[in-house]
Amino acid sequence: QVHLVESGGGSVQAGGSLRLSCAASGRTFSRSDMGWFRQAPGKEREFVASIIWSGGSTHYADSVKGRFTISRDNGKNTVYLQMNSLKPEDTAIYYCAAGRSYYSTTIWSWDYWGQGTQVTVSS
């Protein structure tokens, strides 16, 4: 069992930056692949980025590649999403997820979810 709590969301102007954190409880965090998804109003939840349990491999959606960076600190049971050069279209609720297939972009491949944190980017 993994319990996830996101933080770090907020409002920012286009071109700005935010850093999201996801704190995990449970002894299996260091063996769990971690991911970030987002859901904008009226849209389906979509994959943003993921990182393998060891931190050695990452995967990004094309829409955020080069702007967002996912990382993790297994000693702190935390995964991060550094978001730079934010655009209005990045506005969404961002969710942290834990699973066993870091390369999967489909929501049903991920076992545990946080409650989400709102990110709003104004133009």
Side-chain angles (χ1 to χ4, degrees):
Q1 188 85 12
V2 179
H3 181 61
L4 305 172
V5 179
E6 303 94 336
S7 63
S11 297
V12 64
Q13 289 192 327
S17 298
L18 282 174
R19 188 195 197 200
L20 305 183
S21 298
C22 173
S25 60
R27 292 181 292 177
T28 60
F29 174 80
S30 62
R31 299 193 300 273
S32 296
D33 298 338
M34 299 298 296
W36 286 96
F37 287 72
R38 66 186 181 187
Q39 188 165 16
K43 295 188 176 181
E44 294 185 349
R45 192 170 299 189
E46 65 175 6
F47 170 79
V48 175
S50 61
I51 186 166
I52 202 169
W53 65 272
S54 64
S57 293
T58 57
H59 183 213
Y60 295 93
D62 288 342
S63 59
V64 306
K65 203 171 292 184
R67 300 188 298 124
F68 291 10
T69 302
I70 188 171
S71 62
R72 66 189 296 162
D73 185 337
N74 286 347
K76 295 182 178 179
N77 277 16
T78 303
V79 62
Y80 306 97
L81 185 69
Q82 178 66 44
M83 306 186 295
N84 298 328
S85 302
L86 282 161
K87 304 175 181 180
E89 50 263 44
D90 294 318
T91 295
I93 299 174
Y94 282 71
Y95 297 91
C96 177
R100 292 161 290 173
S101 300
Y102 89 99
Y103 210 78
S104 174
T105 62
T106 57
I107 60 174
W108 46 82
S109 296
W110 296 81
D111 302 319
Y112 303 101
W113 294 85
Q115 293 300 306
T117 185
Q118 176 71 48
V119 171
T120 303
V121 184
S122 58
S123 57

